[in-house]
Amino acid sequence: MNWIILIIAGLFEVAFAFCLGKAKVATGNDMYFWYAGFLITLGISMGLLVKATQTLPIGTAYAVWTGIGAVGTVLVGILVFKEPATFLRLLFITTLIGSIIGLKTVS
C-alpha cells in the first residue's frame, strides 16, 4: 500500500511542477491561482511522502519520489510546454525509469 502512496506522491510532485510552469506564463489573478495550486499540491506530495517513508526505506522512497517527479515533469514539459524531445533526453529518461524499477525490486 505504501508503494501506491509513494507513486501518488510522485504524481503530485509532477502536479506542483506543472503549476509552477503555468504560473510562470500567467498574469493577474491566474498567476495567484497557479501559485495556490503549487502550494496545495506541494503539501499533498510532501504529506504522502512522509506517510510512505513510515514503512519504506527513506533512501529508496526519496529516490523513487524524485524519479517519478523528474520523469513526469520532463514528459509534461514535452507534451504540454512543447519542450524538445531529443534522442538523448529520451534515452536518459528511459535510464531513469529503469533505475526506479530497479530500486523498487531490490527494496
Side-chain angles (χ1 to χ4, degrees):
M1 183 64 177
N2 280 323
W3 281 106
I4 294 169
I5 291 171
L6 183 62
I7 291 168
I8 294 169
L11 295 175
F12 273 100
E13 184 182 6
V14 175
F16 75 69
F18 172 77
C19 289
L20 277 179
K22 293 299 274 185
K24 180 176 143 182
V25 297
T27 59
N29 287 337
D30 283 347
M31 179 184 64
Y32 296 115
F33 168 77
W34 289 112
Y35 280 128
F38 164 75
L39 292 173
I40 291 166
T41 54
L42 174 67
I44 293 170
S45 181
M46 293 292 171
L48 291 173
L49 177 62
V50 167
K51 173 71 175 151
T53 58
Q54 290 175 347
T55 58
L56 299 175
I58 186 71
T60 302
Y62 184 75
V64 170
W65 178 75
T66 57
I68 292 169
V71 169
T73 301
V74 168
L75 293 176
V76 166
I78 291 169
L79 298 172
V80 177
F81 297 111
K82 308 300 182 212
E83 294 176 358
T86 64
F87 171 76
L88 286 177
R89 197 170 193 195
L90 296 176
L91 174 70
F92 289 122
I93 288 298
T94 304
T95 304
L96 183 57
I97 292 169
S99 298
I100 292 168
I101 292 169
L103 279 173
K104 186 195 179 305
T105 59
V106 299
S107 293

